[in-house]
Amino acid sequence: ALSPLAVERIRLVMLERLEQRSSLLALRDALALSVQYGLGMRNQEIWALTLGDVAGRRATVREVLSYGALDAGKTEGATGRGRRPPIDALLAEDLAAWKAALAAHGYPSAPHDFLLRGDLGGHGARDSHMTGSQAHTWPRKYFTPAVRRVAEEWPDEHTEITGATPYSLRRRSEEHTS
């Protein structure tokens, strides 16, 4: 499980624009981390969220992105209802900053638009969610290098970070929200 400090440091490393990425892509990756940690979600669930799913004080988790297609089978389809994790004040601030950044860059920000768009770098599924390939490679390309850098820069403070995966974000959140 990752500590809140480790998560914040990983987020800050992502915002430093690893590999000279655009600020919008760096912000998207940092938000993906915040959403998964803050809501205790599966990797596949964060990519299927819409802006309307994270409005107000609770998120609505209904679908997953499975093999590049939206699928309600693992979430709403399995139980007949979506999960409703609370949105805390810090995550609400991150979400507001993200919505403002989308609008400033001319991307749609209606309730039905995807929260973590796949088309920001010129690629993505036809309806703008992440492609299966994007969702599958995100941890290896963006999460793991950020984790590695935090572990290297603060080796004595983050022994729990070695080998962390995005699922490590979900385990911590589950422990503190049960």
Side-chain angles (χ1 to χ4, degrees), residues 6 8 43 54 69 73 85 99 113 123 128 135 137 144-146 155 165 175 177:
E8 186 55 28
N43 298 341
V54 292
K99 289 175 188 178
D113 292 314
H123 309 290
S128 301
T137 60
T144 301
T165 66
E175 290 170 5
T177 59

Side-chain angles (χ1 to χ4, degrees), residues 42 45 62-66 69-81:
R42 296 176 183 94
E45 291 171 330
R62 294 180 266 238
E63 298 180 295
V64 298
L65 183 65
S66 180
L70 297 173
D71 177 10
K74 285 192 172 189
T75 304
E76 190 172 80
T79 62
R81 60 182 168 75

Side-chain angles (χ1 to χ4, degrees), residues 76-91:
E76 190 172 80
T79 62
R81 60 182 168 75
R83 287 194 334 275
R84 304 259 311 141
I87 297 173
D88 68 21
L90 290 173
L91 181 54

Side-chain angles (χ1 to χ4, degrees), residues 6-175:
V7 172
E8 186 55 28
R9 285 181 171 160
I10 295 166
R11 186 178 177 286
L12 291 173
V13 167
M14 288 179 154
L15 288 172
E16 290 175 354
R17 300 181 200 159
L18 293 176
E19 304 168 352
Q20 301 303 315
R21 302 186 76 224
S22 78
S23 60
L24 189 63
L25 288 171
L27 185 58
R28 179 196 65 193
D29 294 338
L31 182 72
L33 182 83
S34 295
V35 167
Q36 189 163 359
Y37 181 74
L39 300 178
M41 296 178 71
R42 296 176 183 94
N43 298 341
Q44 308 95 314
E45 291 171 330
I46 65 171
W47 308 122
L49 285 174
T50 65
L51 289 161
D53 290 334
V54 292
R57 297 178 57 104
R58 290 196 168 272
T60 302
V61 184
R62 294 180 266 238
E63 298 180 295
V64 298
L65 183 65
S66 180
Y67 301 105
L70 297 173
D71 177 10
K74 285 192 172 189
T75 304
E76 190 172 80
T79 62
R81 60 182 168 75
R83 287 194 334 275
R84 304 259 311 141
I87 297 173
D88 68 21
L90 290 173
L91 181 54
E93 288 177 19
D94 286 352
L95 290 166
W98 175 244
K99 289 175 188 178
L102 283 176
H105 284 84
Y107 286 96
S109 56
H112 65 275
D113 292 314
F114 286 96
L115 175 68
L116 301 164
R117 302 178 61 88
D119 61 349
L120 299 176
H123 309 290
R126 188 171 14 135
D127 53 3
S128 301
H129 63 71
M130 293 284 225
T131 65
S133 176
Q134 287 173 312
H136 181 74
T137 60
W138 183 86
R140 178 179 36 85
K141 285 180 77 174
Y142 307 111
F143 181 80
T144 301
V147 166
R148 190 176 304 119
R149 185 161 155 211
V150 170
E152 289 168 0
E153 290 186 16
W154 295 280
D156 297 332
E157 294 180 50
H158 296 296
T159 56
E160 87 281 6
I161 206 168
T162 304
T165 66
Y167 197 78
S168 303
L169 300 165
R170 183 167 191 242
R171 286 193 305 243
R172 183 269 167 205
S173 192
E174 285 177 339
E175 290 170 5

